[in-house]
Amino acid sequence: MTKNRLLLVLLFSIFLFLTSSLNAQSFELLGGSQFYDMWTADVAFSDIDNDGDQDVLLVGNRKVSNLPQTVNYTAVLYENDGNGNFEEIPNTPFLGLEQSAIAFADIDNDNDEDVLITGLDYLFDPYTRLYTNDGSGKFTEVINTPFRDVYSGDVVFADVDDDNDLDVFVSGSIAYGQSDGYTALYLNDGNGIYVEMLNTPFRGGQSSAIDVADIDLDGDIDMIFLGTSEVPGPLTEVYLNDGTGKYSVSTNSIFLQLTSGDVEFSDIDNDGDADLLITGTTDTGLTPYTQLFRNDGTGSFNEIQNSDLFDLKWSNCMFFDFDNDNDQDLLVHGKNASDPDIFNDTGKMTLLLLNDGTGNFTKNEAHPIPPIDFGKSAYADVNGDNLMDIFITGRLLNTPEYYSEIFLNTTIVSSTANIQESNNIELYPNPVSDGFLNVKLNFEQSSEGLISIFDLTGKVVKTENYSANNSELSIDLSGIEVGYYILNLMSKREIYSKKICIVY
């Protein structure tokens, strides 16, 4: 064996080791203490000033003992400079509220993000307030809205009647210390003027969460509710849309009746329908539960057993693709303990779970995000590197008791994590030493397709089209630097992947 061939073998062996170990994705703390630590807060990203980066709004209770309550209860809007550096915007009109919910949406079709906020103020009065954006990030409260004042609930925008504007679901408690809850649907006239839809089947609203999706693939937006109603107490209920915004209770429900948790739709197995995660408690604070369901495409759900998913209450969950491998990963946090004591730290946890693309999730044990309960999280690319970063806020195990921080996504391989190598394509020579890579397709091509080559940051460095009758082609890689890459071949129905190495 020649010296050059030994070098090629050594380099390729190193490459195989590196690409197999690059699945250890991680996050690192943004640092700089840019945000107020809070509990019972909500957080939401939005590009409020149309400058191409994600700003963030944080609304909650700082619970600092030597501060007046008028200061502790706060709403802070932070502007992003595009690199993940945030600066507080002064003199915003937002009320300081705890047990809050935030949702951004362009309610009046003027191409900027407005916001609806609910929560409880320092006098224990609930509020629901709508603010319109002038396009530069300056907000003005809308007066005389029809929204009922609520707290400890949720806000979700969706076009429920297919008229090309954003209607809104609002849920929550209507009076502090009482069990009265409320869930309502408000229809938008297209100009940001809302009217409550009457005679809906929705029940309850206290300690609630809402999500929406077209669960039965009939072209309209359905809704799921989790929370507390006076009768029967904890409630998980699916409401089906008839296409005009009129809802009825689904009779095809297998879910536990839960409250004080979260619901989240996502297509976890890339089959084109909305699957579901629910978390919460069945008995107003005692026993935690987490359930993952697969949708069969008709709105019928079957539970998936997964040992890496812990039962959680006082919880929040969020699907997002954090490793850029085209499937939905999962962040979930809350309390895994069967006790009603909100001041007991036992069982708090934050789980980051990787999806293999088929809906099978595995814990990422090495992530640095702290265990919290009574928290919320949101994701966005805050520094322009095409990776989803995380904002998390909530209550910690130890001092400082409350927390609000951004974790930057430091995944090395973004679009190439969890690569499943395919035998349907052959690459030679590999490593590539003369600048040309031959690709042989060992499957029947019914249509044209695209070959893309990614570097280990997820950047596309080369694309090549292939025709339906071309089973073998040669790709010129002479302009690409020495290194390690992933080749993705996308046909009409499948994506095939192979690792490649370029050496000269």
Side-chain angles (χ1 to χ4, degrees):
M1 187 178 289
T2 66
K3 182 177 181 181
N4 285 340
R5 184 162 179 78
L6 282 170
L7 178 60
L8 291 179
V9 172
L10 177 61
L11 284 171
F12 196 60
S13 298
I14 293 171
F15 168 64
L16 292 176
F17 169 76
L18 286 174
T19 53
S20 66
S21 63
L22 283 174
N23 288 339
Q25 303 87 356
S26 62
F27 290 84
E28 65 180 24
L29 188 64
L30 175 62
S33 298
Q34 300 185 41
F35 311 103
Y36 291 122
D37 294 331
M38 294 190 189
W39 95 312
T40 62
D42 198 8
V43 59
F45 284 106
S46 178
D47 183 5
I48 62 165
D49 46 10
N50 287 320
D51 63 351
D53 57 44
Q54 293 293 306
D55 312 296
V56 66
L57 176 63
L58 180 64
V59 181
N61 186 350
R62 294 173 61 186
K63 291 188 73 71
V64 178
S65 59
N66 61 351
L67 288 178
Q69 293 292 67
T70 53
V71 177
N72 273 324
Y73 285 70
T74 189
V76 190
L77 183 62
Y78 298 91
E79 183 179 8
N80 188 352
D81 70 356
N83 297 310
N85 300 308
F86 290 85
E87 183 176 350
E88 182 178 344
I89 299 175
N91 303 318
T92 64
F94 307 128
L95 292 173
L97 304 169
E98 70 171 21
Q99 301 183 57
S100 56
I102 305 168
F104 282 98
D106 182 6
I107 65 165
D108 46 10
N109 290 314
D110 63 349
N111 298 313
D112 55 42
E113 292 288 291
D114 313 298
V115 66
L116 184 64
I117 305 172
T118 69
L120 193 72
D121 78 351
Y122 71 98
L123 296 174
F124 305 111
D125 292 322
Y127 281 91
T128 300
R129 292 293 182 267
L130 179 66
Y131 304 88
T132 54
N133 188 346
D134 69 356
S136 69
K138 183 178 179 181
F139 289 85
T140 302
E141 182 180 344
V142 180
I143 60 173
N144 299 323
T145 65
F147 304 119
R148 191 133 185 207
D149 292 327
V150 296
Y151 74 100
S152 186
D154 209 351
V155 177
V156 176
F157 284 99
D159 183 5
V160 304
D161 49 5
D162 197 28
D163 63 350
N164 298 311
D165 56 41
L166 290 172
D167 314 298
V168 65
F169 293 97
V170 179
S171 68
S173 297
I174 59 176
Y176 181 73
Q178 299 181 23
S179 60
D180 294 339
Y182 194 74
T183 297
L185 171 60
Y186 299 89
L187 299 179
N188 190 343
D189 72 350
N191 298 306
I193 306 299
Y194 286 89
V195 176
E196 183 176 356
M197 189 171 186
L198 303 178
N199 302 315
T200 64
F202 312 130
R203 296 187 289 167
Q206 185 181 22
S207 303
S208 56
I210 289 173
D211 202 12
V212 296
D214 181 7
I215 67 169
D216 47 8
L217 300 179
D218 63 348
D220 53 43
I221 299 297
D222 309 303
M223 188 266 269
I224 187 169
F225 169 91
L226 179 151
T228 300
S229 66
E230 291 185 29
V231 178
L235 176 68
T236 306
E237 202 155 62
V238 172
Y239 302 94
L240 300 177
N241 190 343
D242 70 354
T244 68
K246 294 181 180 179
Y247 285 84
S248 59
V249 179
S250 172
T251 58
N252 186 20
S253 177
I254 62 170
F255 311 121
L256 288 172
Q257 304 303 298
L258 301 178
T259 186
S260 302
D262 203 5
V263 288
E264 187 85 0
F265 286 115
S266 182
D267 183 5
I268 64 172
D269 47 10
N270 288 319
D271 65 349
D273 55 41
D275 309 301
L276 176 67
L277 181 77
I278 65 174
T279 71
T281 177
T282 59
D283 39 24
T284 319
L286 192 60
T287 309
Y289 287 93
T290 297
Q291 293 182 298
L292 181 65
F293 296 91
R294 194 186 307 274
N295 189 347
D296 69 358
T298 69
S300 294
F301 292 87
N302 297 297
E303 186 173 0
I304 303 170
Q305 300 299 324
N306 188 308
S307 60
D308 281 350
L309 274 174
F310 285 78
D311 291 327
L312 296 174
K313 63 186 178 184
W314 307 331
S315 46
N316 180 246
C317 56
M318 178 175 73
F319 286 103
F320 70 117
D321 183 9
F322 93 81
D323 50 5
N324 283 1
D325 63 347
N326 299 313
D327 57 42
Q328 293 293 296
D329 309 303
L330 173 64
L331 180 76
V332 58
H333 45 83
K335 185 169 182 176
N336 171 246
S338 295
D339 69 79
D341 184 1
I342 66 172
F343 301 106
N344 186 338
D345 284 338
T346 303
K348 292 179 186 178
M349 58 176 57
T350 296
L351 303 173
L352 181 64
L353 300 110
L354 300 177
N355 190 347
D356 68 359
T358 69
N360 296 314
F361 290 87
T362 305
K363 280 187 298 184
N364 181 324
E365 302 281 5
H367 75 82
I369 306 168
I372 65 168
D373 63 3
F374 290 102
K376 293 289 183 70
S377 52
Y379 69 88
D381 176 13
V382 304
N383 55 357
D385 63 354
N386 298 314
L387 296 171
M388 293 297 109
D389 310 301
I390 294 172
F391 195 119
I392 192 164
T393 180
R395 189 180 61 166
L396 292 170
L397 280 168
N398 301 305
T399 302
E401 190 174 3
Y402 309 109
Y403 195 76
S404 298
E405 292 288 355
I406 283 180
F407 285 84
L408 296 177
N409 191 336
T410 58
T411 302
I412 299 174
V413 180
S414 54
S415 64
T416 59
N418 295 326
I419 291 290
Q420 300 296 317
E421 287 231 8
S422 173
N423 293 323
N424 288 306
I425 55 176
E426 295 180 34
L427 308 179
Y428 61 93
N430 192 13
V432 179
S433 58
D434 63 357
F436 286 88
L437 175 69
N438 297 307
V439 181
K440 184 178 181 182
L441 311 181
N442 296 325
F443 61 95
E444 183 178 351
Q445 305 95 257
S446 59
S447 63
E448 296 180 349
L450 177 68
I451 293 174
S452 301
I453 297 175
F454 298 83
D455 66 16
L456 297 189
T457 70
K459 179 181 178 182
V460 177
V461 298
K462 180 79 174 183
T463 59
E464 188 93 9
N465 293 305
Y466 70 88
S467 62
N469 58 1
N470 191 359
S471 63
E472 191 164 348
L473 65 156
S474 180
I475 302 176
D476 183 2
L477 303 180
S478 58
I480 300 177
E481 296 180 356
V482 170
Y484 313 110
Y485 298 87
I486 300 295
L487 180 145
N488 278 1
L489 185 148
M490 290 177 284
S491 70
K492 185 176 182 179
R493 297 178 180 229
E494 302 288 344
I495 299 177
Y496 305 115
S497 299
K498 282 283 190 180
K499 306 167 186 175
I500 60 177
C501 179
I502 299 176
V503 294
Y504 298 122

